[in-house]
Amino acid sequence: MDVLANRTLFVFLLTAIGLIALPHSNHLPGPLVIFFFIMLFWRFIGIWYQRWLPGKILLYALTFTGLALLYQQHLGWLGRDPGTSLFMTALSLKLMEVKRQRDIYLIAYLAFIVAASQFLYEQSIFMAVYIVFVCSVLLAAMVMINSRQADIKTSLKKAMTILMQALPLTLIIFVFFPRVEAPRWLLFEDPNRAMTGLKDSMEPGSISDLGLSDELAFRVKFTGNIPPVASLYWRGPVFSYTDGKRWTQGRHQGSGMTPSVPEFKGDVYRYTLLMEPQDKPWIYALDMPTGFSDELFQNADYQMLTRKAPDKRSEYQLTSSLYYNTGLLQEDEWVRNTQIPGAASPKIRRLIADLQSGTQLTEQFVGNIMRHFREERFSYTLRPPLMENNPVETFLFETRTGFCSHYAAAFVYLMRAANVPARVVTGYQGGTLNEVGGFLEIRQADAHAWAEVWIKSRGWVRYDPTAAVAPERIDQTSYFQQQFGDELAHLVPRRNLQGSFEWLKTTRELWRSLDYSWQRWVINYHSANQLKFLASLGISGLNKMMYWLIAGIVVFTAVLSGYLFLQRQKPKDKALQLYAQFCKKMAATGLVIRAGEGPQDFAGRIKSVSPELAGPVDRITGLFIRHRYGKKPSARDISLLRSAISELRIKKGCSAKAKSQSHF
């Protein structure tokens, strides 16, 4: 088969390359992606119209254009994105210059590199399956080149066999090969990459931006019972300073102060928290954490932080208790948590006086504020009107519509104006239970803000003013999903909607459960987890790790070699067995098939020695090739082949002639 003239092979190869490059269109510059697919399309046309392919001068011009585009889009050559673009551009240009078989090999190797580079951007199980699929197609193209006679179906089958044979070796290397330390990969990091999540300050609109985001924030798997949904407050940054509009963390949080140890009571919940990559070292523990691993620490406001790089997916073991008492408040804490910018306005002072009327305890004052929110036509919305000036006063007396950050900020302001220590806490509330995997998924739509009030006998106590006006925001497992469902209900009756999408929910949960296991056991199998896992098997230290790696490779290679040897000794293919009988019959005359000699060549050699056997030998050879390599092998061919070999008669003279020829 002339490889360079095989159109089927080129169509197959170019299709595989197109599928490999397709995911990169999501994250590489548009002009470079367009350039790549123009080159690919041009090469497709060149399969049928080779004269349309570029000559030497035009090829130089295209190379210059590709490099200029590459530099113009990235302003450099180093880094993840420029490196990936460089390989994409080189692959597209190489498609225009295929003169020898080795050029096809080079294209295939470049395509494999482009496929692997996809994992620098996304490591989901879907992408892994997709890349394995397109690499199988590319491998099948390589099989077609080397076998020269195989069709697409046979090549795909052979490629899958090769991949399955490589799978055990891949697992051995994955488990035992030492992981590369993370800092070595910093070259591929993009410091300007935007990540969603909570900010280090809070102002109107800061959390509503996340309110409709379905992006995953973190996942939690409890060991034992899951706390009630209304108690699932995932503690994030605490804001104790305000300029009347914007709330920020206090300066004390960076001073290395440690919090007082709370007094815990009630059940302790143990759980594993898998954080998605973010740009802050914040870990959202269930309020209030009682224990955590060494890579975590607490700031003075009981917020958990990590010493690991936050832009990597990381897993943590924690314990929390829902009931606690943080104890007394220091004087500087009192001052810090009663701060407001200037004196409260007369309207706010009158409102506070009304709410404090007849109350002796802080809890009663808190209850009056909650009742005020509930009974005075306040409402919950993710699209409140703008409140540029005096947002707290505008919210309390004019608009009366807002979301969690509005209610938390107004509530804390009223408490502070009454000289009661209070602060805003942000984080996430609730989560969606994945019933298949038994874990909670907390998404950006679950971002929330609430308040803490210091009470003498109880310490810091959590109050959620949003619950006073929108209790469904707290009780529902996912408020975003509820809102989404309400929107769909306008289009489809709710009863039909529930029945129709039940199977979609189950399928989605199954897929997310698979992804959770993939992230935990495959993507998160970094250096520390590898050492921990191998130590649990009694394999500690780099030397032992390498011994096990080498031993695993040797054992697997020996087993695979033995299997392939036995397969070669005992061919299961009936046509091969019959052809072996034919070869044995001819060997008795002195005509032995040579290593690497094809059926047609062997038949030609027999006929040159014994022309009288031309008829039966051609019939046997033709039946064997038709059954072995034909598109529609049939049982009748086997029967005819068996009969032809059985009827083959060799005269004694032929035997002597063949033996005399075999001496040359």
XYZ file of all heavy atoms in Angstrom, residues 328-416:
736
model
N -15.489 35.245 76.742
C -15.502 36.698 76.922
C -14.851 37.422 75.753
O -14.087 36.830 74.983
C -14.784 37.054 78.230
C -15.414 36.486 79.510
C -14.545 36.830 80.709
C -16.837 37.019 79.696
N -15.146 38.727 75.688
C -14.620 39.577 74.613
C -13.574 40.520 75.195
O -13.809 41.154 76.243
C -15.766 40.377 73.995
C -15.579 40.902 72.576
C -15.421 39.747 71.594
C -16.762 41.783 72.189
N -12.420 40.606 74.560
C -11.384 41.538 74.988
C -11.813 42.972 74.649
O -12.657 43.198 73.778
C -10.064 41.214 74.303
C -9.547 39.813 74.582
C -9.202 39.611 76.050
O -8.689 40.522 76.706
N -9.518 38.422 76.576
N -11.191 43.935 75.333
C -11.584 45.334 75.153
C -11.372 45.802 73.715
O -12.222 46.490 73.138
C -10.794 46.227 76.120
C -11.213 47.678 76.043
C -10.467 48.545 77.053
O -9.766 47.978 77.901
O -10.590 49.774 76.973
N -10.213 45.421 73.138
C -9.954 45.852 71.760
C -10.940 45.205 70.786
O -11.320 45.799 69.772
C -8.517 45.527 71.356
C -8.223 44.041 71.440
O -8.841 43.352 72.280
O -7.375 43.556 70.674
N -11.384 43.973 71.112
C -12.383 43.332 70.257
C -13.721 44.065 70.359
O -14.446 44.220 69.373
C -12.572 41.866 70.663
C -11.365 40.982 70.377
C -11.606 39.555 70.825
O -11.529 39.282 72.038
O -11.885 38.716 69.951
N -14.038 44.513 71.574
C -15.287 45.261 71.766
C -15.269 46.530 70.912
O -16.219 46.836 70.204
C -15.456 45.592 73.254
C -16.761 46.288 73.538
C -17.110 47.569 73.208
C -17.901 45.735 74.184
N -18.376 47.863 73.603
C -18.900 46.743 74.209
C -18.179 44.500 74.758
C -20.142 46.545 74.801
C -19.403 44.314 75.334
C -20.395 45.326 75.348
N -14.167 47.244 70.973
C -14.057 48.502 70.225
C -14.156 48.229 68.725
O -14.848 48.929 67.981
C -12.732 49.208 70.571
C -12.500 50.416 69.655
C -12.714 49.619 72.032
N -13.468 47.191 68.299
C -13.423 46.869 66.877
C -14.805 46.464 66.342
O -15.153 46.798 65.201
C -12.423 45.718 66.662
C -12.044 45.491 65.227
C -10.785 44.666 65.107
N -10.814 43.445 65.868
C -9.998 43.130 66.859
N -9.049 43.991 67.231
N -10.084 41.989 67.502
N -15.565 45.771 67.151
C -16.850 45.245 66.675
C -18.050 46.113 67.037
O -19.201 45.671 66.893
C -17.039 43.827 67.208
C -16.074 42.849 66.572
O -16.198 42.510 65.398
N -15.082 42.416 67.345
N -17.785 47.340 67.503
C -18.859 48.324 67.662
C -18.589 49.564 66.800
O -19.263 50.575 66.941
C -19.014 48.741 69.141
O -17.746 49.174 69.635
C -19.533 47.599 69.996
N -17.586 49.442 65.915
C -17.188 50.586 65.081
C -18.227 50.869 63.992
O -18.719 49.958 63.319
C -15.826 50.295 64.438
C -15.372 51.321 63.410
C -15.783 50.950 61.987
O -15.952 49.776 61.662
N -15.955 51.976 61.145
N -18.610 52.141 63.848
C -19.389 52.608 62.697
C -18.804 53.948 62.284
O -18.213 54.664 63.112
C -20.903 52.761 63.015
C -21.111 53.668 64.237
C -21.565 51.422 63.202
C -22.586 53.967 64.526
N -18.941 54.336 61.028
C -18.357 55.600 60.563
C -19.202 56.802 61.030
O -20.264 57.072 60.448
C -18.371 55.464 59.042
C -19.490 54.509 58.775
C -19.562 53.581 59.936
N -18.766 57.464 62.082
C -19.515 58.616 62.589
C -20.718 58.197 63.410
O -20.936 57.011 63.701
N -21.536 59.189 63.743
C -22.731 58.918 64.542
C -23.874 58.469 63.648
O -23.975 58.862 62.483
C -23.128 60.162 65.323
N -24.754 57.635 64.205
C -25.926 57.186 63.448
C -26.869 58.364 63.222
O -26.955 59.294 64.025
C -26.632 56.065 64.204
N -27.613 58.304 62.122
C -28.542 59.390 61.785
C -29.723 59.386 62.759
O -30.010 58.363 63.409
C -29.057 59.196 60.351
O -29.894 58.061 60.302
N -30.431 60.497 62.875
C -31.603 60.536 63.771
C -32.642 59.472 63.436
O -33.253 58.898 64.328
C -32.150 61.959 63.546
C -30.964 62.760 63.123
C -30.119 61.827 62.311
N -32.868 59.187 62.149
C -33.864 58.179 61.774
C -33.472 56.805 62.312
O -34.298 56.047 62.822
C -34.010 58.123 60.246
C -34.671 59.348 59.658
C -34.714 59.304 58.147
C -35.673 58.248 57.649
N -35.794 58.293 56.176
N -32.189 56.482 62.210
C -31.735 55.177 62.704
C -31.792 55.140 64.227
O -32.184 54.134 64.825
C -30.314 54.884 62.178
C -30.399 54.562 60.680
C -29.675 53.748 62.952
C -29.101 54.165 60.048
N -31.447 56.281 64.873
C -31.507 56.290 66.349
C -32.948 56.102 66.818
O -33.196 55.404 67.797
C -30.926 57.605 66.891
C -29.408 57.700 66.730
C -28.822 58.693 67.741
N -29.379 60.029 67.546
C -28.834 60.944 66.736
N -27.750 60.655 66.040
N -29.382 62.131 66.608
N -33.908 56.720 66.120
C -35.319 56.537 66.501
C -35.764 55.089 66.285
O -36.489 54.514 67.100
C -36.208 57.475 65.678
C -36.168 58.919 66.155
C -37.323 59.715 65.567
N -37.259 59.821 64.117
C -36.571 60.772 63.467
N -35.902 61.693 64.152
N -36.573 60.805 62.156
N -35.310 54.486 65.175
C -35.671 53.086 64.919
C -35.102 52.178 66.019
O -35.799 51.288 66.532
C -35.136 52.645 63.551
C -35.337 51.175 63.195
C -36.823 50.822 63.145
C -34.653 50.836 61.866
N -33.856 52.428 66.420
C -33.233 51.602 67.462
C -33.983 51.777 68.781
O -34.228 50.805 69.522
C -31.747 51.972 67.610
C -30.969 51.533 66.369
C -31.143 51.347 68.869
C -29.531 51.994 66.348
N -34.366 53.027 69.077
C -35.102 53.271 70.317
C -36.421 52.505 70.329
O -36.807 51.919 71.350
C -35.341 54.769 70.482
N -37.107 52.489 69.175
C -38.364 51.733 69.093
C -38.133 50.241 69.290
O -38.890 49.554 69.984
C -39.032 51.965 67.736
C -39.551 53.395 67.598
O -39.713 54.054 68.649
O -39.767 53.832 66.456
N -37.067 49.731 68.657
C -36.802 48.289 68.732
C -36.290 47.866 70.107
O -36.456 46.712 70.511
C -35.786 47.878 67.650
C -36.258 48.061 66.195
C -35.112 47.800 65.220
C -37.422 47.130 65.902
N -35.666 48.794 70.827
C -35.146 48.459 72.157
C -36.174 48.701 73.260
O -35.930 48.328 74.415
C -33.890 49.281 72.464
C -32.629 48.754 71.814
C -31.408 49.524 72.257
O -31.460 50.765 72.344
N -30.319 48.820 72.558
N -37.279 49.307 72.897
C -38.277 49.670 73.902
C -38.787 48.428 74.643
O -39.261 47.457 74.027
C -39.454 50.386 73.222
O -40.453 50.672 74.168
N -38.670 48.442 75.951
C -39.162 47.346 76.777
C -38.285 46.124 76.809
O -38.689 45.088 77.357
N -37.094 46.188 76.215
C -36.209 45.018 76.208
C -35.109 45.193 77.239
O -34.627 46.306 77.481
C -35.564 44.821 74.832
O -34.758 45.966 74.528
C -36.626 44.664 73.759
N -34.705 44.096 77.852
C -33.620 44.098 78.812
C -32.424 43.288 78.308
O -31.294 43.546 78.693
C -34.113 43.490 80.149
C -35.266 44.230 80.770
C -34.877 45.636 81.214
O -33.739 45.868 81.663
N -35.787 46.596 81.101
N -32.698 42.317 77.445
C -31.661 41.396 76.997
C -31.324 41.639 75.524
O -32.185 42.075 74.738
C -32.118 39.948 77.178
C -32.470 39.528 78.612
C -33.027 38.118 78.616
C -31.236 39.639 79.519
N -30.073 41.315 75.190
C -29.648 41.461 73.795
C -30.467 40.557 72.889
O -30.821 40.931 71.753
C -28.153 41.111 73.662
O -27.405 41.952 74.542
C -27.665 41.301 72.238
N -30.777 39.323 73.365
C -31.561 38.398 72.538
C -32.927 38.995 72.176
O -33.437 38.797 71.066
C -31.774 37.067 73.256
C -30.521 36.207 73.378
C -29.793 36.435 74.691
O -29.888 37.582 75.200
O -29.146 35.518 75.197
N -33.552 39.771 73.115
C -34.847 40.383 72.832
C -34.707 41.467 71.761
O -35.566 41.605 70.879
C -35.428 40.970 74.116
C -35.811 39.906 75.149
C -36.242 40.507 76.468
O -35.788 41.599 76.851
N -37.122 39.812 77.190
N -33.623 42.229 71.852
C -33.369 43.264 70.854
C -33.177 42.630 69.471
O -33.736 43.078 68.455
C -32.130 44.069 71.267
C -31.751 45.149 70.300
C -32.711 45.962 69.692
C -30.411 45.370 69.983
C -32.346 46.968 68.808
C -30.043 46.369 69.094
C -31.012 47.163 68.502
N -32.426 41.519 69.428
C -32.230 40.801 68.168
C -33.570 40.306 67.629
O -33.882 40.440 66.432
C -31.264 39.621 68.370
C -31.250 38.729 67.115
C -29.865 40.117 68.682
N -34.412 39.766 68.536
C -35.727 39.271 68.111
C -36.594 40.386 67.541
O -37.324 40.172 66.566
N -36.523 41.583 68.125
C -37.309 42.713 67.610
C -36.852 43.135 66.210
O -37.673 43.499 65.352
C -37.209 43.896 68.569
C -37.983 43.640 69.852
O -38.843 42.744 69.912
N -37.690 44.396 70.902
N -35.519 43.090 65.973
C -35.024 43.439 64.621
C -35.501 42.410 63.603
O -35.946 42.760 62.496
C -33.480 43.531 64.618
C -33.014 44.668 65.534
C -32.958 43.746 63.204
C -31.502 44.797 65.644
N -35.447 41.137 63.990
C -35.911 40.086 63.077
C -37.394 40.265 62.759
O -37.823 40.119 61.609
C -35.675 38.704 63.706
C -34.221 38.343 63.892
S -33.377 38.127 62.307
C -31.850 37.378 62.870
N -38.195 40.586 63.796
C -39.625 40.774 63.564
C -39.870 42.005 62.689
O -40.769 42.023 61.848
C -40.334 40.927 64.908
C -41.872 40.953 64.777
C -42.586 40.759 66.103
N -42.159 41.717 67.101
C -41.379 41.402 68.164
N -40.975 40.150 68.335
N -41.031 42.317 69.041
N -39.043 43.021 62.868
C -39.157 44.232 62.032
C -38.929 43.873 60.559
O -39.691 44.312 59.689
C -38.121 45.259 62.511
C -38.115 46.518 61.694
N -39.095 47.482 61.799
C -37.236 46.962 60.746
C -38.839 48.465 60.965
N -37.704 48.185 60.310
N -37.900 43.066 60.261
C -37.649 42.652 58.879
C -38.817 41.825 58.337
O -39.188 41.919 57.164
C -36.357 41.824 58.798
C -35.101 42.643 58.893
C -33.951 42.117 59.476
C -35.042 43.930 58.399
C -32.786 42.860 59.558
C -33.879 44.692 58.475
C -32.742 44.150 59.059
N -39.398 40.996 59.215
C -40.428 40.060 58.767
C -41.770 40.742 58.546
O -42.521 40.369 57.645
C -40.557 38.942 59.813
C -41.427 37.770 59.379
C -41.218 36.560 60.284
N -41.267 36.877 61.695
C -40.222 36.810 62.526
N -39.038 36.441 62.065
N -40.334 37.113 63.808
N -42.075 41.773 59.350
C -43.423 42.346 59.346
C -43.522 43.682 58.612
O -44.634 44.189 58.427
C -43.906 42.516 60.800
C -44.038 41.184 61.541
C -44.441 41.362 62.996
O -44.465 42.538 63.439
O -44.700 40.353 63.658
N -42.404 44.288 58.250
C -42.435 45.635 57.662
C -42.179 45.627 56.154
O -41.461 46.461 55.624
C -41.410 46.528 58.366
C -41.738 46.799 59.816
C -43.046 47.565 59.980
O -43.364 48.397 59.112
O -43.747 47.306 60.984
N -42.712 44.676 55.451
C -42.700 44.614 53.978
C -41.285 44.606 53.389
O -41.034 45.171 52.316
C -43.503 45.778 53.388
C -44.989 45.694 53.678
C -45.706 46.857 53.044
N -45.222 48.124 53.583
C -45.405 49.300 53.007
N -46.068 49.360 51.863
N -44.943 50.411 53.553
N -40.367 43.984 54.103
C -39.049 43.745 53.504
C -39.161 42.515 52.597
O -39.948 41.588 52.859
C -38.001 43.489 54.598
C -37.536 44.739 55.282
C -38.242 45.261 56.362
C -36.387 45.397 54.849
C -37.818 46.416 56.991
C -35.957 46.551 55.475
C -36.673 47.073 56.551
N -38.390 42.491 51.530
C -38.452 41.361 50.597
C -37.052 40.975 50.137
O -36.103 41.769 50.228
C -39.321 41.705 49.377
O -38.764 42.805 48.679
N -36.963 39.751 49.621
C -35.672 39.194 49.176
C -35.620 39.184 47.658
O -36.536 38.704 46.994
C -35.507 37.765 49.710
C -34.176 37.136 49.386
C -33.107 37.230 50.270
C -33.981 36.442 48.188
C -31.876 36.653 49.972
C -32.761 35.869 47.880
C -31.716 35.978 48.776
O -30.500 35.413 48.472
N -34.552 39.703 47.092
C -34.349 39.665 45.641
C -32.862 39.731 45.339
O -32.089 40.346 46.087
C -35.068 40.828 44.938
O -34.776 40.758 43.533
C -34.603 42.163 45.468
N -32.473 39.088 44.258
C -31.072 39.157 43.815
C -30.836 40.346 42.888
O -29.715 40.564 42.447
C -30.684 37.858 43.090
C -30.527 36.623 43.985
C -30.274 35.393 43.135
C -29.410 36.811 44.994
N -31.890 41.102 42.596
C -31.751 42.270 41.724
C -32.344 43.501 42.403
O -33.347 44.053 41.947
C -32.446 42.005 40.382
C -31.839 40.854 39.596
C -32.556 40.634 38.277
N -31.975 39.544 37.524
C -32.281 38.267 37.702
N -33.202 37.933 38.617
N -31.697 37.333 36.983
N -31.723 43.947 43.489
C -32.245 45.123 44.189
C -31.866 46.406 43.446
O -30.959 46.406 42.605
C -31.536 45.043 45.540
C -30.231 44.405 45.217
C -30.507 43.410 44.120
N -32.539 47.504 43.733
C -32.149 48.787 43.126
C -30.805 49.258 43.675
O -30.359 48.835 44.737
C -33.283 49.729 43.563
C -33.848 49.102 44.785
C -33.712 47.626 44.611
N -30.166 50.147 42.920
C -28.870 50.673 43.347
C -29.030 51.532 44.590
O -29.999 52.276 44.732
C -28.235 51.492 42.228
C -27.751 50.705 41.007
C -27.246 51.677 39.940
C -26.642 49.730 41.401
N -28.058 51.412 45.502
C -28.065 52.228 46.724
C -26.675 52.817 46.886
O -25.861 52.327 47.658
C -28.439 51.346 47.930
C -29.879 50.863 47.902
S -30.233 49.643 49.172
C -30.428 48.180 48.193
N -26.397 53.850 46.102
C -25.057 54.411 46.077
C -24.729 55.182 47.348
O -23.656 55.060 47.917
C -24.912 55.333 44.854
C -24.884 54.585 43.523
C -23.638 53.749 43.373
O -22.613 54.090 43.998
O -23.684 52.737 42.648
N -25.685 55.994 47.830
C -25.428 56.838 49.004
C -26.196 56.303 50.212
O -27.367 55.946 50.105
C -25.863 58.281 48.713
C -25.092 58.860 47.543
O -23.873 58.679 47.434
N -25.810 59.535 46.632
N -25.523 56.296 51.359
C -26.122 55.790 52.593
C -26.898 54.490 52.370
O -28.124 54.434 52.559
C -27.077 56.848 53.193
C -26.349 58.128 53.525
O -25.217 58.098 54.033
N -26.976 59.258 53.222
N -26.226 53.441 51.916
C -26.942 52.215 51.537
C -27.735 51.606 52.684
O -28.827 51.079 52.460
C -25.818 51.288 51.059
C -24.572 51.832 51.630
C -24.762 53.302 51.733
N -27.211 51.677 53.930
C -27.927 51.061 55.052
C -29.245 51.796 55.298
O -30.319 51.188 55.419
C -27.047 51.059 56.309
C -27.861 50.598 57.526
C -25.834 50.164 56.117
N -29.170 53.118 55.342
C -30.377 53.913 55.603
C -31.364 53.801 54.430
O -32.579 53.688 54.638
C -29.984 55.364 55.833
C -31.087 56.181 56.456
C -30.566 57.530 56.973
O -29.465 57.531 57.571
O -31.243 58.540 56.759
N -30.845 53.809 53.213
C -31.717 53.664 52.042
C -32.430 52.321 52.067
O -33.623 52.218 51.765
C -30.885 53.785 50.750
O -30.189 55.026 50.758
C -31.762 53.701 49.521
N -31.678 51.269 52.439
C -32.273 49.943 52.489
C -33.343 49.853 53.584
O -34.441 49.313 53.363
C -31.171 48.907 52.743
C -31.681 47.533 53.055
C -32.262 46.734 52.082
C -31.599 47.030 54.354
C -32.739 45.468 52.376
C -32.073 45.766 54.665
C -32.643 44.986 53.671
N -33.043 50.399 54.791
C -33.967 50.260 55.923
C -35.249 51.069 55.760
O -36.325 50.647 56.199
C -33.253 50.690 57.215
C -32.204 49.712 57.758
C -31.454 50.339 58.922
C -32.854 48.403 58.188
N -35.174 52.244 55.088
C -36.324 53.145 55.093
C -36.939 53.387 53.708
O -38.032 53.925 53.613
C -35.923 54.498 55.699
C -35.424 54.375 57.106
C -34.070 54.528 57.401
C -36.299 54.079 58.155
C -33.607 54.415 58.694
C -35.827 53.957 59.457
C -34.473 54.116 59.736
N -36.247 52.978 52.621
C -36.792 53.284 51.293
C -37.010 52.023 50.452
O -38.147 51.642 50.194
C -35.859 54.254 50.547
C -35.740 55.602 51.238
C -34.781 56.539 50.520
O -34.483 56.296 49.323
O -34.315 57.510 51.152
N -35.958 51.383 50.029
C -36.121 50.254 49.087
C -36.673 49.001 49.767
O -37.565 48.335 49.238
C -34.778 49.919 48.429
O -33.860 49.496 49.431
C -34.209 51.135 47.710
N -36.114 48.647 50.931
C -36.520 47.462 51.708
C -36.455 46.177 50.884
O -37.183 45.222 51.134
C -37.918 47.646 52.293
C -37.995 48.799 53.276
C -39.258 48.788 54.085
N -39.209 49.832 55.108
C -40.078 49.963 56.103
N -41.077 49.102 56.206
N -39.965 50.927 56.995
N -35.661 46.155 49.858
C -35.448 44.932 49.070
C -33.951 44.698 48.937
O -33.181 45.656 48.754
C -36.059 45.049 47.664
O -35.473 46.166 46.988
C -37.560 45.221 47.720
N -33.553 43.464 49.033
C -32.142 43.146 48.909
C -31.912 41.667 49.117
O -32.854 40.876 49.192
N -30.661 41.294 49.238
C -30.338 39.887 49.472
C -29.481 39.799 50.731
O -29.461 40.737 51.544
C -29.658 39.276 48.253
C -28.573 40.139 47.666
C -27.267 40.005 48.083
C -28.877 41.085 46.703
C -26.270 40.801 47.554
C -27.885 41.888 46.175
C -26.580 41.752 46.607
N -28.828 38.695 50.909
C -28.226 38.407 52.214
C -27.257 39.489 52.679
O -27.238 39.835 53.866
C -27.538 37.043 52.172
S -26.272 36.892 50.885
N -26.442 40.042 51.779
C -25.453 41.029 52.214
C -26.131 42.312 52.690
O -25.648 42.967 53.620
C -24.466 41.334 51.079
O -25.147 41.862 49.964
N -27.265 42.690 52.085
C -27.998 43.867 52.545
C -28.529 43.653 53.960
O -28.393 44.523 54.833
C -29.179 44.165 51.613
C -28.763 44.611 50.249
N -28.429 43.724 49.258
C -28.635 45.846 49.708
C -28.115 44.395 48.158
N -28.228 45.687 48.414
N -29.149 42.488 54.190
C -29.740 42.230 55.509
C -28.665 42.072 56.570
O -28.804 42.576 57.695
C -30.624 40.969 55.440
C -31.918 41.230 54.715
C -32.050 40.937 53.369
C -32.995 41.815 55.374
C -33.225 41.201 52.686
C -34.183 42.086 54.706
C -34.290 41.780 53.362
O -35.454 42.063 52.697
N -27.571 41.372 56.250
C -26.503 41.183 57.236
C -25.868 42.530 57.587
O -25.622 42.832 58.772
C -25.460 40.220 56.685
N -25.602 43.357 56.574
C -24.958 44.650 56.824
C -25.874 45.566 57.648
O -25.425 46.214 58.608
C -24.602 45.311 55.491
N -27.164 45.630 57.293
C -28.096 46.483 58.028
C -28.276 46.002 59.476
O -28.325 46.805 60.418
C -29.451 46.508 57.309
N -28.365 44.685 59.635
C -28.535 44.107 60.965
C -27.331 44.448 61.862
O -27.493 44.915 63.002
C -28.694 42.587 60.831
C -28.789 41.857 62.129
C -30.016 41.684 62.761
C -27.655 41.329 62.737
C -30.105 41.005 63.967
C -27.728 40.652 63.932
C -28.963 40.493 64.557
N -26.123 44.235 61.331
C -24.925 44.505 62.132
C -24.809 46.000 62.433
O -24.423 46.402 63.535
C -23.670 43.977 61.390
C -22.396 44.445 62.086
C -23.709 42.455 61.330
N -25.173 46.819 61.471
C -25.100 48.271 61.696
C -26.030 48.688 62.840
O -25.662 49.484 63.710
C -25.471 49.010 60.408
C -25.249 50.506 60.505
C -24.032 51.076 60.132
C -26.253 51.364 60.986
C -23.821 52.448 60.227
C -26.044 52.726 61.083
C -24.827 53.265 60.699
O -24.619 54.615 60.807
N -27.251 48.162 62.849
C -28.199 48.501 63.925
C -27.677 48.050 65.285
O -27.806 48.769 66.287
C -29.561 47.849 63.638
C -30.358 48.429 62.476
C -31.619 47.612 62.223
C -30.724 49.894 62.767
N -27.078 46.839 65.322
C -26.535 46.336 66.591
C -25.403 47.235 67.077
O -25.330 47.602 68.248
C -26.022 44.905 66.417
C -27.092 43.878 66.032
S -28.463 43.761 67.203
C -27.634 43.213 68.671
N -24.514 47.616 66.174
C -23.377 48.455 66.560
C -23.840 49.854 66.969
O -23.275 50.450 67.894
C -22.378 48.538 65.399
C -21.638 47.241 65.150
C -20.553 47.406 64.104
N -19.737 46.206 63.969
C -18.577 46.167 63.347
N -18.101 47.262 62.777
N -17.891 45.051 63.283
